[in-house]
Amino acid sequence: MSLQSTLFSGCSPSGTLTLGNYIGAVKQWVQCQDDYDGIYCVVDMHAITVKQDPYLLRQRVWDFYALYLACGLTPDKSTIFIQSHNPHHSELTWVLSCLTMFGEMSRMTQFKSKSRKHESTVGLFTYPILMATDILLYQTSLVPVGKDQVQHLEITRDLAERFNNRYGSIFTMPEAYLPTEGAKVMDLQDPGKKMDKSSPNPKSYITLLDTPDEVRAKISKAITDSQGRFDTGEELSGINNLVTIYCSLTGEDRSFVINQFEPQGYKVFKDSLVDVILAHLVPIQERYHHYKEDHSYLEQLAKEGCEKAMGKSKVTLDKVKEAVGF
Ligand code: TYM
């Protein structure tokens, strides 16, 4: 891929950013900053596909913005903005909705699982079209996400191809970019489920703003394996998940980590894992609190980020309007 290809990604402010979001997505964003034209979005329009408290949502949007910066995104290198500030997202979503088949939306697994827990609104059903819009508006080549978003990337590619075939080659074909370790970090209490910021059980996830005591307590109570093994051979075992978190954060090889800790047992491994997690979280939290002290600075950055984003999205949207006959 050429230098300065566009990379787009975002997180939905429907809870507090978790270690799963960090390992699966945000860590990659920061690593890619020097090599890509990165566009990072707080996707608040996605958040309202399930019921939100408006006051809390607005707070979380700014918390996410500050956390993106605290994790290492910088406005000099990347475009960082808030989705609802750019009306082009709604406009393109309508056009793409008119190309999307009811049947293909019905196959989306996230709708099936989310509609069991939330009201089945049309917005929740068509949410992947909004995500396709986010990506296609910016002529994105690469989308760093966790495994749970792969199906949405596939529908995005289908829509891009359908649009290009019907109206001429307008959209760039995007590809998903998954981390080698940690594309799906699992729930600490139920390793059969992904770690989820919207989970009702706070012990099931670690947030980027958890205190050292909270991290220690959650890791010490995290499910491991009843046989005391490290290499269980089962993808969905609790200990596998903890080893994944360790490897992802340290960059160390899996078999090296297992060989190192197997003779010492879970307690030593968990203590070491807490140290590794805190070595990432504590500096992020210090920078986060620093950014949160100056709200007008965050607003200024978000305004500039949105102007930059809209400069790019307008070019695509104008081509789309022309192509469809508006
Ligand atoms: P969201 O907010 O659920 O998650 C944000 C990012 O974190 C990844 N992720 C995980 N990775 C590993 N393990 C986990 N347990 C885990 N949980 C979440 C997600 O895969 C995602 O990359 N629809 C998206 C947000 C979105 C988006 C986009 C992403 C909207 N438009 C355009 C990319 C491009 C979502 O709800 O992610």
Side-chain angles (χ1 to χ4, degrees):
M1 205 142 308
S2 71
L3 197 70
Q4 298 308 332
S5 296
T6 299
L7 191 146
F8 183 98
S9 201
C11 292
S12 171
S14 49
T16 308
L17 273 183
T18 67
L19 202 55
N21 300 128
Y22 180 72
I23 289 175
V26 181
K27 194 158 80 65
Q28 276 62 250
W29 305 355
V30 177
Q31 283 164 359
C32 288
Q33 264 193 128
D34 289 324
D35 300 326
Y36 291 88
D37 178 10
I39 306 179
Y40 303 103
C41 187
V42 180
V43 293
D44 53 349
M45 290 163 69
H46 282 266
I48 63 161
T49 55
V50 302
K51 203 167 171 190
Q52 301 288 345
D53 172 327
Y55 173 79
L56 248 184
L57 176 65
R58 191 169 295 118
Q59 266 192 339
R60 285 201 195 118
V61 165
W62 291 110
D63 290 350
F64 270 44
Y65 200 95
L67 272 172
Y68 283 9
L69 299 172
C71 286
L73 291 184
T74 69
D76 311 345
K77 296 181 183 168
S78 300
T79 304
I80 314 163
F81 77 107
I82 297 164
Q83 187 184 29
S84 63
H85 295 188
N86 179 355
H88 299 161
H89 289 251
S90 310
E91 286 192 66
L92 182 60
T93 296
W94 179 249
V95 176
L96 293 182
S97 299
C98 296
L99 276 184
T100 310
M101 301 301 144
F102 192 86
E104 60 193 348
M105 280 297 98
S106 312
R107 288 192 287 276
M108 295 290 118
T109 51
Q110 276 212 352
F111 174 73
K112 288 181 196 161
S113 58
K114 284 194 176 178
S115 61
R116 271 183 231 123
K117 295 182 231 147
H118 303 281
E119 291 169 329
S120 300
T121 63
V122 175
L124 185 62
F125 185 63
T126 58
Y127 158 114
I129 310 176
L130 179 59
M131 180 158 161
T133 289
D134 300 339
I135 296 166
L136 299 177
L137 256 184
Y138 300 94
Q139 304 294 350
T140 304
S141 305
L142 213 61
V143 187
V145 280
K147 207 171 176 180
D148 61 325
Q149 299 300 322
V150 167
Q151 196 183 33
H152 296 155
L153 252 295
E154 283 161 8
I155 185 84
T156 302
R157 289 170 61 87
D158 289 346
L159 290 176
E161 197 179 1
R162 196 169 306 152
F163 187 96
N164 286 350
N165 285 339
R166 195 174 295 185
Y167 297 109
S169 205
I170 286 181
F171 293 130
T172 302
M173 201 55 79
E175 272 176 45
Y177 173 58
L178 269 64
T180 38
E181 282 284 0
K184 192 169 185 183
V185 176
M186 307 312 276
D187 182 302
L188 297 177
Q189 292 300 315
D190 178 357
K193 294 195 304 205
K194 74 162 186 178
M195 184 181 281
D196 185 352
K197 59 174 129 59
S198 317
S199 163
N201 177 8
K203 289 199 190 97
S204 69
Y205 55 75
I206 289 176
T207 82
L208 296 191
L209 298 177
D210 279 350
T211 63
D213 284 347
E214 284 168 330
V215 172
R216 208 163 283 119
K218 288 179 185 183
I219 292 295
S220 97
K221 293 203 175 71
I223 303 286
T224 43
D225 172 64
S226 55
Q227 317 274 328
R229 296 166 301 184
F230 269 75
D231 198 358
T232 59
E234 293 160 39
E235 205 194 330
L236 297 182
S237 83
I239 183 65
N240 263 2
N241 186 42
L242 299 182
V243 172
T244 298
I245 295 174
Y246 190 99
C247 294
S248 162
L249 293 177
T250 58
E252 282 172 17
D253 179 68
R254 206 175 180 89
S255 49
F256 174 79
V257 171
I258 291 174
N259 288 338
Q260 182 189 351
F261 287 106
E262 192 136 49
Q264 306 180 71
Y266 289 154
K267 165 89 175 68
V268 174
F269 170 66
K270 282 186 163 182
D271 288 347
S272 187
L273 179 59
V274 169
D275 292 343
V276 164
I277 294 172
L278 292 180
H280 278 76
L281 259 48
V282 170
I284 289 174
Q285 292 175 3
E286 282 168 8
R287 290 191 292 265
Y288 166 82
H289 291 300
H290 168 74
Y291 285 118
K292 284 291 284 182
E293 272 170 19
D294 191 351
H295 186 69
S296 55
Y297 176 63
L298 290 180
E299 278 187 334
Q300 182 57 30
L301 290 185
K303 184 167 171 282
E304 288 165 12
C306 185
E307 282 163 4
K308 245 166 101 184
M310 284 181 77
K312 295 177 188 183
S313 56
K314 184 173 185 311
V315 177
T316 306
L317 191 63
D318 284 350
K319 286 188 196 162
V320 167
K321 287 181 174 173
E322 175 71 23
V324 301
F326 288 171

